[in-house]
Amino acid sequence: MPQYDAIVVGAGFAGLYMLHRLQKRGLKVIALEQGSDVGGTWYWNRYPGARCDNESLGYSYSFMPDLDQEWCWPERYSEQPVILRYLNQVADKLELRPDIAFDTRVSAASFDEAASTWTVETQNRETMVTRYLIMATGCLSVPNWPDIPGRDRFGGDTLHTAQWPHEGYDFTDKTVGVIGTGSTAIQSIPQIADQARRLTVFQRTANHCVPAQNCPMPSDVEAERKANYPEIRAKSRYTNSGDFVPQGGTALMDLDEAEQRRVLEDCWRQGGFYTQYPFDDVLTDPRANAIVTAFSHEQIRKRVNDPAIADLLCANSHPFGTKRLCADSGYFETYNLDHVDLVDLNATPITAITHEGIKTSEQLHKVDTIVFATGFDAMTGALTAIDIVGREGAVLRDKWADGTRSLLGVAVAGFPNLFTVTGPGSPSVMINVVTAIEQHVEWIDDCIGWLEENSASVIEADADAENAWVDHVNETADATLYPQADSWYMGANIPGKARVFMPYVGGLRRFRLHCETIAEDGYTGFNIR
Ligand code: NAP
């Protein structure tokens, strides 16, 4: 049976960097990847319009200063093929591919207490043994296929945005139904409408949107960033967002009405998540949130011709920003096209999928193609899909059945020598996820280095420390408006999933400093032998 010092599961942003760090440390390490190539989320999500809504100049590794200078990001927000090319270049430059097993899906992992090792099984029925097991499986990697009666009976083409055919899909002359109006749908709907003969969008919940204001990368912006990259990267590590964007310092409620309007107009002109950064109170004070919500609705009404459709597109079910904000490029104008319809599933819910199309309580919508833009079993789905069995037969899936419990999102009591990159309880999806990944990967690598130097063979999150961290994560979320939304942050998009606010909203800076203190103090909160 092959034996390793470390097995990394996944070869996206997290897995590639983890593999690189452990290789540099001289460990015998392999990465196991279910896809046929590197890229993770950027390998799978190839739907039309797929693009990152973090700015290109920040959404990349900070540990490759030469690549920072060589690489040119063509647009303010990068398209999926560009990011995938970037990750391929990283894999080639760092010569990672020889240590990655592709088309290898991990199905089970169990901890052997006597040997202090993990035995990892793959779906190809291979078995291997490792001292450290690092799950770099991504926060948004398991597609959510809603359980709509008759889904398997549909006679046309069924697509999920997160499992898009690699050869692409031609919508020309097709009648198309898109289910979902989250970030993914909002990116893909204008592109699908460009090709399709008829497009019907099935909306259950309108989402809050900000304009992306994507554009070709201005040469002066790129030159300025390249001139100052090292300094900016260093600063970004200690901002709350993991990005170098001016943040906070202003409470919207401290401004008079004219000034509030001026700042919001400026935010909309700048576009993207800049909208969230200038204010300290939008996600904590319902009055500030209502002002931003009203302003955003006003913008939608200016862009959508039919007032009834505009009303449906204005998000009202949750405070602004408490579900992940969507960044739009021409989304709202799509509804001004004659061949595009919006179905309000609150008024007429989907009752079934038939051979011919999507049936609501009102009518059958005949379509050639159904696109499920229905999201992911977020943050835990990839981990609970694997039979992970720790000490004394503890099963991770069972431990998390009533809600996720993890110390720093990096380790779980009862599961020694198992690390999770950007697991629940870490800032992960709340910030620039590449910076979040780097912080976790570096902490895990340093921790493994410390264990090796101190001849320790086992590290495990202490149950009391884990409880204290979970309490802190909950208290931090409860001080905000976030828990008011039925979001995937809360597990609310998956029927039967425990409702717990999973990510840490205290910001990267606070989290990083806390993690640093723990390491400096000899890994307090962890039991080591
Ligand atoms: P999502 O935000 O979870 O949206 C899923 C959509 O499907 C929602 O509108 C949801 O409605 C709808 N839906 C789910 N089940 C349904 C059902 N049974 N019937 C009708 N509608 C149903 O998923 P996503 O759009 O794929 O985005 C997930 C996350 O991925 C984003 O929040 C973002 O973090 C990330 N993402 C990032 C980028 C980027 O960087 N550019 C792009 C895309 C996605 P309800 O709201 O009513 O549940």
Coordinates of all heavy atoms in Angstrom, one line a residue, residues 134-165:
I134 N -5.0 16.4 4.3 CA -5.4 17.8 4.2 C -6.4 17.9 3.2 O -6.2 17.6 2.0 CB -4.2 18.7 3.9 CG1 -3.1 18.5 5.0 CG2 -4.6 20.2 3.8 CD1 -1.8 18.2 4.5
M135 N -7.6 18.4 3.6 CA -8.8 18.5 2.7 C -8.8 19.9 2.1 O -9.1 20.9 2.8 CB -10.1 18.2 3.5 CG -10.1 16.9 4.3 SD -9.7 15.4 3.3 CE -11.2 15.3 2.3
A136 N -8.4 19.9 0.8 CA -8.5 21.2 0.1 C -9.6 21.1 -0.9 O -9.4 21.3 -2.1 CB -7.1 21.5 -0.5
T137 N -10.8 20.7 -0.4 CA -11.9 20.3 -1.3 C -12.8 21.4 -1.7 O -13.8 21.2 -2.4 CB -12.7 19.2 -0.6 OG1 -12.8 19.5 0.8 CG2 -12.0 17.9 -0.6
G138 N -12.5 22.7 -1.3 CA -13.3 23.8 -1.8 C -14.6 24.0 -1.0 O -15.2 23.1 -0.4
C139 N -15.0 25.3 -1.0 CA -16.3 25.6 -0.2 C -17.5 25.5 -1.1 O -18.6 25.3 -0.6 CB -16.2 27.1 0.3 SG -14.9 27.3 1.5
L140 N -17.3 25.5 -2.4 CA -18.4 25.5 -3.4 C -18.1 24.5 -4.5 O -17.7 24.9 -5.6 CB -18.6 26.9 -3.9 CG -19.1 28.0 -2.9 CD1 -18.8 29.4 -3.4 CD2 -20.5 27.8 -2.6
S141 N -18.1 23.2 -4.1 CA -17.7 22.2 -5.1 C -18.6 21.1 -5.3 O -18.5 20.3 -6.2 CB -16.3 21.7 -4.7 OG -16.3 21.4 -3.3
V142 N -19.7 21.0 -4.5 CA -20.7 19.9 -4.7 C -22.0 20.6 -5.2 O -22.7 21.3 -4.4 CB -20.9 19.2 -3.3 CG1 -22.0 18.1 -3.5 CG2 -19.6 18.5 -2.9
P143 N -22.3 20.3 -6.4 CA -23.5 20.9 -7.0 C -24.8 20.5 -6.3 O -24.9 19.4 -5.8 CB -23.6 20.4 -8.4 CG -22.2 19.9 -8.7 CD -21.6 19.5 -7.4
N144 N -25.7 21.5 -6.1 CA -27.0 21.2 -5.6 C -28.0 21.0 -6.7 O -28.3 21.9 -7.5 CB -27.5 22.4 -4.7 CG -28.9 22.3 -4.3 OD1 -29.4 21.2 -4.0 ND2 -29.6 23.4 -4.3
W145 N -28.5 19.7 -6.8 CA -29.5 19.4 -7.8 C -30.8 19.3 -7.0 O -31.0 18.4 -6.2 CB -29.2 18.0 -8.4 CG -28.1 17.9 -9.4 CD1 -26.8 17.6 -9.2 CD2 -28.2 18.2 -10.8 NE1 -26.1 17.6 -10.3 CE2 -27.0 18.0 -11.4 CE3 -29.3 18.6 -11.6 CZ2 -26.7 18.2 -12.7 CZ3 -29.0 18.7 -13.0 CH2 -27.8 18.5 -13.5
P146 N -31.7 20.3 -7.1 CA -32.9 20.2 -6.3 C -33.8 19.0 -6.7 O -33.8 18.6 -7.8 CB -33.6 21.5 -6.7 CG -33.0 22.1 -7.9 CD -31.6 21.4 -8.1
D147 N -34.4 18.5 -5.6 CA -35.2 17.3 -5.8 C -36.6 17.7 -6.3 O -37.6 17.6 -5.5 CB -35.3 16.7 -4.4 CG -35.8 15.2 -4.5 OD1 -35.8 14.7 -5.6 OD2 -36.1 14.7 -3.4
I148 N -36.7 18.0 -7.6 CA -38.0 18.4 -8.1 C -38.6 17.1 -8.8 O -37.9 16.4 -9.6 CB -37.8 19.5 -9.2 CG1 -37.2 20.7 -8.5 CG2 -39.2 19.9 -9.9 CD1 -36.8 21.9 -9.5
P149 N -39.8 16.8 -8.5 CA -40.4 15.6 -9.0 C -40.3 15.5 -10.5 O -40.5 16.5 -11.2 CB -41.9 15.6 -8.6 CG -41.9 16.6 -7.5 CD -40.8 17.5 -7.6
G150 N -39.9 14.4 -11.1 CA -39.9 14.2 -12.5 C -38.6 14.7 -13.2 O -38.5 14.6 -14.4
R151 N -37.6 15.1 -12.4 CA -36.4 15.7 -13.0 C -35.8 14.7 -14.0 O -35.3 15.1 -15.0 CB -35.4 16.0 -11.9 CG -34.5 17.2 -12.3 CD -33.4 17.4 -11.2 NE -32.4 16.3 -11.2 CZ -31.8 15.9 -10.2 NH1 -31.9 16.4 -9.0 NH2 -30.9 14.9 -10.3
D152 N -35.8 13.5 -13.7 CA -35.2 12.5 -14.6 C -36.0 12.2 -15.8 O -35.5 11.5 -16.8 CB -35.0 11.2 -13.8 CG -34.0 11.4 -12.7 OD1 -33.3 12.4 -12.7 OD2 -34.1 10.5 -11.7
R153 N -37.2 12.7 -15.8 CA -38.1 12.3 -17.0 C -38.0 13.4 -18.1 O -38.6 13.2 -19.2 CB -39.6 12.3 -16.5 CG -39.9 11.0 -15.7 CD -41.3 10.7 -15.8 NE -42.2 11.7 -15.3 CZ -42.6 11.9 -14.0 NH1 -42.1 11.1 -13.1 NH2 -43.4 12.9 -13.7
F154 N -37.3 14.5 -17.9 CA -37.2 15.5 -18.9 C -36.6 15.0 -20.2 O -35.5 14.3 -20.2 CB -36.4 16.7 -18.3 CG -36.3 17.8 -19.3 CD1 -37.4 18.4 -19.9 CD2 -35.0 18.3 -19.7 CE1 -37.3 19.5 -20.8 CE2 -34.9 19.4 -20.6 CZ -36.0 19.9 -21.2
G155 N -37.2 15.3 -21.3 CA -36.8 14.7 -22.6 C -35.7 15.5 -23.3 O -35.1 15.1 -24.2
G156 N -35.5 16.8 -22.8 CA -34.5 17.6 -23.5 C -33.1 17.5 -22.8 O -32.8 16.6 -22.1
D157 N -32.3 18.6 -23.0 CA -31.0 18.6 -22.3 C -31.1 19.2 -20.9 O -31.7 20.3 -20.8 CB -30.0 19.4 -23.2 CG -29.8 18.8 -24.5 OD1 -29.9 17.6 -24.6 OD2 -29.5 19.5 -25.5
T158 N -30.4 18.6 -20.0 CA -30.4 19.1 -18.6 C -28.9 19.4 -18.3 O -28.0 18.6 -18.5 CB -30.8 18.0 -17.6 OG1 -32.1 17.6 -18.0 CG2 -30.8 18.4 -16.2
L159 N -28.7 20.7 -17.9 CA -27.4 21.1 -17.6 C -27.3 21.7 -16.1 O -28.3 22.2 -15.7 CB -27.0 22.3 -18.5 CG -27.0 22.0 -20.0 CD1 -26.8 23.3 -20.8 CD2 -25.9 21.0 -20.4
H160 N -26.2 21.5 -15.5 CA -26.0 22.2 -14.2 C -24.8 23.1 -14.4 O -23.7 22.7 -15.0 CB -25.7 21.2 -13.0 CG -25.8 21.9 -11.7 ND1 -25.0 22.9 -11.2 CD2 -26.7 21.7 -10.7 CE1 -25.3 23.3 -10.0 NE2 -26.4 22.6 -9.7
T161 N -24.9 24.4 -14.0 CA -23.8 25.3 -14.2 C -22.5 24.9 -13.7 O -21.4 25.2 -14.2 CB -24.2 26.7 -13.6 OG1 -24.7 26.5 -12.3 CG2 -25.2 27.4 -14.5
A162 N -22.5 24.1 -12.6 CA -21.3 23.7 -11.9 C -20.7 22.4 -12.5 O -19.7 21.9 -12.0 CB -21.5 23.5 -10.4
Q163 N -21.4 21.8 -13.5 CA -20.9 20.6 -14.2 C -21.0 20.8 -15.7 O -21.6 20.0 -16.4 CB -21.6 19.4 -13.7 CG -21.3 19.0 -12.3 CD -22.2 17.9 -11.8 OE1 -23.3 17.6 -12.3 NE2 -21.7 17.1 -10.8
W164 N -20.6 22.0 -16.1 CA -20.8 22.4 -17.5 C -20.0 21.5 -18.5 O -18.9 21.2 -18.2 CB -20.5 23.9 -17.7 CG -21.2 24.5 -18.8 CD1 -20.7 24.8 -20.1 CD2 -22.6 24.9 -18.8 NE1 -21.7 25.4 -20.8 CE2 -22.9 25.5 -20.1 CE3 -23.6 24.9 -17.9 CZ2 -24.1 26.0 -20.4 CZ3 -24.8 25.4 -18.2 CH2 -25.1 25.9 -19.4
P165 N -20.6 21.1 -19.6 CA -19.9 20.3 -20.6 C -18.6 21.1 -21.1 O -18.7 22.3 -21.4 CB -20.8 20.1 -21.8 CG -22.1 20.8 -21.4 CD -22.0 21.4 -20.1

